[in-house]
């Protein structure tokens, strides 16, 4: 098995691929992320590796996730780097749609202006969360790179994989 060759597959394809214009790609990424609600959030620190299915919102060019807690926070405490995947369910062979997002996660202080702004965006009544017996934590993921794989791009004359660096 040539691990290096396998690892470099997409980088080699990208060298000759037809790129989408940056603003058009940003728009397509935003549309896709707004059309979906759940992701698989991968966190890791030392021997602790987690991949958590979690609901998100795409707002202000970031992903926002409310969570009761869990082991992902232990990993994030030691390593804020994350990777997450958003994808279409049960794609047919040759009809794939999904993206991988790498970036940095931060914890938003409960009841701060940033926290309350997200609640307003999600139309979540502040009182509903204040009444809980434990806090709802808010994670903010700031993307550094989004790799969007969409078979439909081929019919538009683009490479099926498009990358956006922030």
């Amino acid at each position: 098995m040539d691990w290096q060759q396998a690892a470099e597959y997409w980088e080699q394809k990208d060298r000759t691929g037809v790129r989408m214009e940056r603003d058009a790609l940003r728009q397509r990424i935003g549309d896709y992320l707004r059309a979906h609600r759940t992701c698989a959030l991968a966190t890791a620190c030392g021997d602790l590796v987690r991949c958590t299915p979690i609901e998100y919102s795409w707002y202000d060019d970031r992903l926002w996730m409310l969570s009761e807690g869990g082991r992902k926070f232990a990993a994030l405490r030691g390593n804020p780097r994350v990777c997450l995947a958003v994808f279409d369910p049960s794609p047919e062979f040759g009809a794939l749609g999904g993206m991988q997002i790498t970036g940095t996660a931060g914890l938003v202080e409960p009841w701060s202006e940033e926290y309350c702004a997200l609640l307003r965006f999600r139309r979540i009544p502040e009182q509903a969360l204040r009444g809980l017996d434990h806090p709802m934590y808010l994670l903010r993921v700031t993307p550094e790179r989004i790799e969007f794989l969409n078979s439909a791009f081929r019919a538009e004359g683009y490479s099926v994989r498009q990358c956006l660096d922030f």
Side-chain angles (χ1 to χ4, degrees):
M1 170 74 190
D2 187 340
W3 291 94
Q4 191 63 31
Q5 181 181 2
E8 293 175 358
Y9 174 81
W10 284 110
E11 287 81 4
Q12 290 176 8
K13 298 269 299 177
D14 286 347
R15 288 187 191 111
T16 59
V18 179
R19 309 276 31 109
M20 190 178 292
E21 194 272 329
R22 184 175 174 82
D23 288 339
L25 179 57
R26 281 182 79 104
Q27 181 65 45
R28 297 287 288 272
I29 286 170
D31 291 347
Y32 188 89
L33 288 171
R34 283 186 291 276
H36 294 74
R37 298 190 56 94
T38 57
C39 68
L41 173 68
T43 58
C45 184
D47 289 338
L48 175 60
V49 178
R50 301 292 293 171
C51 187
T52 307
I54 189 169
E55 188 175 307
Y56 73 87
S57 297
W58 177 249
Y59 167 70
D60 195 27
D61 284 340
R62 297 183 189 141
L63 294 111
W64 306 81
M65 299 157 212
L66 285 165
S67 174
E68 297 88 354
R71 299 297 299 158
K72 64 187 162 289
F73 289 95
L76 288 169
R77 182 176 182 204
N79 178 7
R81 307 267 308 137
V82 299
C83 186
L84 58 94
V86 179
F87 47 91
D88 294 335
S90 304
E92 295 178 22
F93 187 77
L96 184 63
M99 61 180 57
Q100 177 173 278
I101 302 169
T102 53
T104 305
L107 192 58
V108 177
E109 184 68 33
W111 315 120
S112 65
E113 178 51 39
E114 190 175 31
Y115 187 97
C116 292
L118 187 273
L119 295 182
R120 287 189 298 274
F121 175 77
R122 291 277 315 270
R123 293 182 175 88
I124 298 172
E126 189 177 316
Q127 290 307 88
L129 295 188
R130 286 192 184 269
L132 298 175
D133 60 354
H134 63 280
M136 286 293 286
Y137 301 102
L138 177 59
L139 288 173
R140 174 191 58 239
V141 174
T142 304
E144 295 169 11
R145 182 175 179 88
I146 297 179
E147 299 168 55
F148 193 0
L149 191 64
N150 191 328
S151 300
F153 291 158
R154 185 178 293 118
E156 299 172 37
Y158 299 111
S159 299
V160 296
R161 179 177 185 253
Q162 299 289 318
C163 300
L164 181 65
D165 293 311
F166 285 79

